[in-house]
Amino acid sequence: MAAPSAFRMLRRLLKPPARGCSSGAPVTQPRPAEPSRPAREGQSTRLQFLQEHAAPFSAFLTDSFGRQHSYLRISLTEKCNLRCRYCMPEEGVSLTPKSDLLTTEEILTLARLFVKEGVDKIRLTGGEPLIRPDVVDIVAQLHRLEGLRTIGVTTNGINLARLLPQLQQAGLNAVNISLDTLVPAKFEFIVRRKGFHKVMEGVHKAIELGYKPVKVNCVVMRGLNEDELLDFVALTEALPLDVRFIEYMPFDGNKWNFRKMVSYKEMLDTIRQRWPGLEKLPEEDSSTAKAFKIPGFQGQVSFITSMSEHFCGTCNRLRITADGNLKVCLFGNSEVSLRDHLRSGASEEELLRIIGAAVGRKKRQHAGMFNIAQMKNRPMILIGSFLMLEDSPPASWSTFFWDPLCVRNRSARENFSDKMATLWKRLHVPMALPLSRQCLGSGSPQRHYSYYPDSDTHSTCLSKGSQDPAVPPGPGPTSTQLTHVDSEGRAAMVDVGGKPDTERVAVASAVVLLGPVAFKLVQQNQLKKGDALAVAQLAGVQAAKLTSQLIPLCHQVVLSHVQVQLELDSTRHAVLIQASCRARGPTGVEMEALTSAAMAALTLYDMCKAVSRDIVVAEVKLISKTGGQRGDFHRA
């Protein structure tokens, strides 16, 4: 034991201090005065001596491939206050009896042992670690361990804003927050609970308290949230965030399918189309992330490439589950119970031999994504790590109930929207805002929604003959030739490769005549299926982004903005829909706007069809379009 102890002493001498001040807050070490030349030479000689005579890293935490495990993740609980589809199997999980979980003293005993052997970073995970009542005390006691440089937590963020000041004072100096969508309605679908605004408050609190960077973990899954990549990256422009995109990974019960995985290279290509200047940052030793930065942005983005490009060769992580099992590989199914040995009275030397044997059996790399999917392993909720997505959204979002904070009356809902607008404004993030109250007519109450309006766009009511002030009136020139047929009349896709990129904007509209009964239920938000306006709005946005998959000869367009507005017309018992799409490219976005308006209308039909079959979808039409060689168009 003498050699590892000597090595730890040398490490403490060689490494700069990284702990916070007495309050536990992350601090920047003051820059010392420039030492004189003799002092510099003396330091250099001492450093060289210590490096040459340093003892090897603890043999118990070094595997047969020479990897030194200095990072320990400890799961504090199997419980969680969310029911995420990505880490909890559909049928749920059987929780370990409380008597079989590690006690606080057992957690600290194991932590002391690992730190004594060279672990200098501990991350607390779950379940959700911040629901454990004594989590602040655990952090405070870990902070007292000599040689432990970093104490982190991975959290879903629900309790973070409330607890972070106490945790920081106790010694917490790293925060990872799991957030897989920036759309409130989609958030509630994914986690089966409300709380999006609480997570965003937690992000804001971490920034306010000086954590830099605040890491945001986003598991990317095709068909669910890969369309939000650019929105997440945009957050790093004004905020000191490290947005970490994680490849979807297989675990027991999460219905893994490789077709749902969006690879690192695919994500990188998407981001570089929007920000060609994206720069690769140097990789840190034992880092699991490939980091990039856009020049001028405060934050950065990273990619966790566990599936497409594993990082097993530099892995330095070990895990202890809430029931006390040691896992040497996240994807391995072999575990060793440290709890049982602790409770049977094993000495420190015996525990180290058990740990050393497990570490020594660690394989060179995990089995690969296709083989992993066939292996029996714990569900994610019982391991404690970043989150894994489970399944695609339902075929119809109409089954989704969305009512923030369970508020059903109009004034409460508007009050909630005002609070969320204030929060998102502080975070410099666009959000869904209601249409201006000036759109409200006299008579019965009106409900309005607007998706991601531009900061310089004034909300206007959709009414017959309404005009987009940015679009000049009058139709543009038309062609006498159909563009999607060849010279022999066969269907063909237009080649736009030689056309210049221009700013394209299109606005389309639709009307859904509901009838008095269904209209009243929508107006009062009393449909059994949920909030029809919110679901239709989301459907319109999703449809715009999927147009090329629905219309055979449409080009795939990277949209920079989609706006869907809905207004209730009490005189006609109708919902008026307006969809606006924007992109920069060689082809227009008329079809995206029309598809968006049509799909929002069909979703309203689906939400209300149980109440009335006498519903009419009408007047799906292009209102205006700008950009392109054929000029602008505006419907009179």
Side-chain angles (χ1 to χ4, degrees):
M1 299 296 292
S5 298
F7 173 68
R8 284 190 298 278
M9 183 178 295
L10 293 176
R11 285 204 307 169
R12 288 195 291 272
L13 290 171
L14 290 171
K15 289 187 177 180
R19 302 301 289 268
C21 61
S22 59
S23 66
V27 294
T28 303
Q29 297 296 329
R31 184 183 298 275
E34 186 71 19
S36 63
R37 182 175 178 181
R40 290 198 303 269
E41 292 175 351
Q43 290 173 356
S44 176
T45 303
R46 177 171 172 270
L47 178 63
Q48 181 179 353
F49 173 83
L50 291 174
Q51 289 175 335
E52 291 175 352
H53 293 80
F57 186 84
S58 171
F60 297 105
L61 301 184
T62 304
D63 65 18
S64 58
F65 302 99
R67 292 172 293 200
Q68 300 172 350
H69 296 79
S70 59
Y71 180 4
L72 179 66
R73 302 174 68 104
I74 302 177
S75 174
L76 297 185
T77 179
E78 294 177 346
K79 295 181 179 180
C80 187
N81 47 2
L82 299 181
R83 292 293 179 269
C84 298
R85 299 171 182 272
Y86 39 64
C87 72
M88 186 174 290
E90 186 174 355
E91 65 277 10
V93 295
S94 298
L95 296 177
T96 304
K98 185 176 180 180
S99 59
D100 292 338
L101 298 176
L102 289 177
T103 65
T104 300
E105 187 52 43
E106 287 170 337
I107 289 173
L108 294 171
T109 296
L110 291 174
R112 291 187 196 100
L113 182 59
F114 277 89
V115 172
K116 187 177 179 181
E117 288 303 304
V119 163
D120 60 9
K121 179 177 181 179
I122 290 180
R123 178 168 295 280
L124 303 177
T125 68
E128 170 48 43
L130 298 191
I131 66 173
R132 181 160 175 142
D134 60 349
V135 62
V136 175
D137 182 57
I138 290 175
V139 171
Q141 296 197 54
L142 290 175
H143 186 65
R144 299 188 187 106
L145 298 182
E146 186 179 357
L148 185 59
R149 294 166 48 82
T150 303
I151 305 171
V153 66
T154 295
T155 172
N156 61 30
I158 297 294
N159 293 340
L160 186 62
R162 176 172 58 88
L163 290 177
L164 191 54
Q166 303 171 59
L167 289 166
Q168 186 183 64
Q169 188 171 4
L172 187 77
N173 48 21
V175 178
N176 284 44
I177 304 168
S178 297
L179 180 64
D180 301 303
T181 178
L182 298 174
V183 180
K186 197 187 294 186
F187 176 88
E188 293 180 24
F189 167 76
I190 293 174
V191 306
R192 302 188 181 107
R193 293 290 187 273
K194 302 181 187 302
F196 175 79
H197 66 291
K198 291 185 177 180
V199 179
M200 295 312 301
E201 287 172 3
V203 173
H204 175 70
K205 179 61 70 173
I207 294 171
E208 178 185 303
L209 292 178
Y211 288 90
K212 189 175 182 180
V214 176
K215 294 184 178 180
V216 175
N217 292 346
C218 176
V219 180
V220 181
M221 185 167 135
R222 197 177 308 281
L224 186 61
N225 65 346
E226 87 279 13
D227 58 311
E228 296 186 60
L229 278 171
L230 301 183
D231 296 332
F232 272 100
V233 176
L235 292 180
T236 68
E237 181 173 8
L239 300 175
L241 300 177
D242 180 2
V243 176
R244 293 146 51 93
F245 297 116
I246 302 169
E247 291 179 339
Y248 168 55
M249 293 178 276
F251 280 91
D252 195 23
N254 76 345
K255 298 182 181 178
W256 187 81
N257 185 321
F258 78 92
R259 287 186 294 271
K260 299 175 186 177
M261 189 195 81
V262 182
S263 72
Y264 147 63
K265 290 185 176 178
E266 182 179 344
M267 289 187 271
L268 193 61
D269 288 344
T270 299
I271 295 170
R272 275 194 165 137
Q273 287 181 29
R274 174 65 180 83
W275 289 285
L278 188 69
E279 298 176 349
K280 180 88 163 57
L281 298 177
E283 290 187 23
E284 300 177 2
D285 293 340
S286 302
S287 174
T288 61
K290 295 176 173 63
F292 292 79
K293 187 176 181 66
I294 299 170
F297 280 28
Q298 284 196 40
Q300 65 182 52
V301 295
S302 305
F303 301 89
I304 312 293
T305 61
S306 303
M307 295 295 96
S308 63
E309 296 182 18
H310 70 78
F311 35 80
C312 300
T314 58
C315 178
N316 69 336
R317 289 152 175 76
L318 300 173
R319 289 170 173 81
I320 297 178
T321 61
D323 57 354
N325 282 10
L326 175 67
K327 287 180 70 74
V328 297
C329 176
L330 175 63
F331 298 102
N333 52 14
S334 60
E335 301 178 1
V336 176
S337 177
L338 301 182
R339 177 204 63 202
D340 290 348
H341 290 287
L342 266 177
R343 295 182 181 180
S344 65
S347 66
E348 182 176 301
E349 288 74 16
E350 290 171 329
L351 284 171
L352 285 175
R353 282 198 295 271
I354 294 163
I355 293 168
V359 172
R361 291 192 296 270
K362 185 172 181 176
K363 297 179 180 179
R364 180 185 294 275
Q365 65 186 58
H366 62 62
M369 59 183 177
F370 296 104
N371 292 330
I372 290 172
Q374 308 301 319
M375 294 167 58
K376 188 68 177 175
N377 196 0
R378 292 183 182 228
M380 196 71 254
I381 188 74
L382 301 183
I383 296 177
S385 184
F386 38 71
L387 303 177
M388 308 298 117
L389 288 172
E390 175 206 24
D391 214 347
S392 300
S396 170
W397 281 82
S398 64
T399 58
F400 180 68
F401 292 78
W402 184 69
D403 183 28
L405 300 182
C406 295
V407 289
R408 293 288 178 180
N409 62 76
R410 182 172 65 91
S411 61
R413 293 167 67 89
E414 289 174 351
N415 183 49
F416 170 80
S417 295
D418 292 342
K419 291 180 179 178
M420 281 303 297
T422 301
L423 170 64
W424 281 78
K425 188 174 181 181
R426 282 157 56 197
L427 290 174
H428 307 287
V429 180
M431 66 161 291
L433 295 173
L435 287 175
S436 172
R437 293 176 189 256
Q438 63 185 339
C439 295
L440 299 176
S442 60
S444 57
Q446 303 276 338
R447 295 167 60 234
H448 306 270
Y449 289 84
S450 173
Y451 186 84
Y452 289 175
D454 286 341
S455 58
D456 58 351
T457 300
H458 298 288
S459 298
T460 57
C461 293
L462 174 64
S463 59
K464 211 166 185 178
S466 64
Q467 296 184 1
D468 186 339
V471 182
T478 58
S479 171
T480 59
Q481 301 292 327
L482 293 176
T483 59
H484 286 84
V485 293
D486 60 18
S487 58
E488 298 181 7
R490 293 173 300 193
M493 193 172 186
V494 177
D495 185 358
V496 297
K499 297 175 67 176
D501 286 354
T502 59
E503 190 75 12
R504 312 290 188 120
V505 179
V507 180
S509 67
V511 177
V512 183
L513 303 170
L514 295 173
V517 177
F519 179 84
K520 184 176 180 180
L521 292 174
V522 170
Q523 182 184 59
Q524 298 177 356
N525 194 21
Q526 292 182 350
L527 285 174
K528 290 184 178 180
K529 285 189 174 183
D531 192 331
L533 297 183
V535 177
Q537 178 196 69
L538 184 60
V541 174
Q542 292 286 84
K545 293 181 283 191
L546 294 174
T547 299
S548 65
Q549 299 178 38
L550 301 173
I551 312 296
L553 300 180
C554 274
H555 294 85
Q556 186 171 3
V557 176
V558 179
L559 294 170
S560 58
H561 176 72
V562 180
Q563 179 180 350
V564 178
Q565 296 177 289
L566 299 99
E567 180 190 349
L568 296 181
D569 182 352
S570 58
T571 61
R572 302 170 65 189
H573 299 126
V575 178
L576 311 181
I577 302 168
Q578 180 172 284
S580 173
C581 295
R582 181 187 299 135
R584 183 171 184 82
T587 186
V589 289
E590 298 98 313
M591 292 309 302
E592 282 72 16
L594 286 163
T595 303
S596 176
M599 187 58 67
L602 291 174
T603 300
L604 277 172
Y605 186 105
D606 181 58
M607 296 286 286
C608 300
K609 65 185 181 185
V611 177
S612 171
R613 295 301 173 95
D614 189 22
I615 301 172
V616 178
V617 176
E619 302 177 38
V620 179
K621 58 189 176 184
L622 181 68
I623 299 298
S624 64
K625 76 103 178 172
T626 61
Q629 295 177 348
R630 289 192 293 136
D632 299 345
F633 164 78
H634 180 74
R635 185 178 299 275

